[in-house]
Amino acid sequence: MPSACPVCQQVYEPEPGFYWGAMYISFGFSTAIMLVVGFAVYYLLGDPDTWVYITAVAVVALLLTPLSLRYSRTLMLYLFGGVHYDARYATGRR
């Protein structure tokens, strides 16, 4: 991840250790992913053996970990870093 946005020069790490809080957001995402996959396996496969739950949850959690980490960092920046979306940068008009 670059240290700043190449378009608007927004610094991605406002202070050292800023993303420690993102771990809690990522934990919430992981918990939600595991619950959704667990319920989906239960209802779609008709309550299979325990190893099916463990395998399905582990595979989906591993595949979605990069997205979870990226979105938890993004939410941390928006909620606690003072970052605000500006459409002028997205369209190229400054």
Side-chain angles (χ1 to χ4, degrees):
M1 182 171 182
S3 61
C5 176
V7 176
C8 67
Q9 303 308 316
Q10 168 70 43
V11 177
Y12 287 140
E13 190 163 356
E15 61 186 41
F18 178 76
Y19 290 111
W20 281 79
M23 290 187 310
Y24 297 106
I25 298 171
S26 178
F27 176 75
F29 283 156
S30 297
T31 302
I33 289 168
M34 290 180 189
L35 285 173
V36 167
V37 171
F39 282 119
V41 167
Y42 177 79
Y43 286 111
L44 294 176
L45 300 179
D47 195 18
D49 290 335
T50 305
W51 70 268
V52 177
Y53 285 105
I54 294 171
T55 304
V57 167
V59 167
V60 173
L62 285 174
L63 290 176
L64 293 181
T65 295
L67 287 175
S68 174
L69 293 175
R70 181 174 298 241
Y71 283 116
S72 65
R73 288 174 65 112
T74 302
L75 277 175
M76 188 70 181
L77 269 175
Y78 275 101
L79 295 175
F80 302 108
V83 174
H84 301 287
Y85 176 73
D86 189 354
R88 293 177 298 174
Y89 284 106
T91 59
R93 293 177 281 139
R94 294 184 192 166

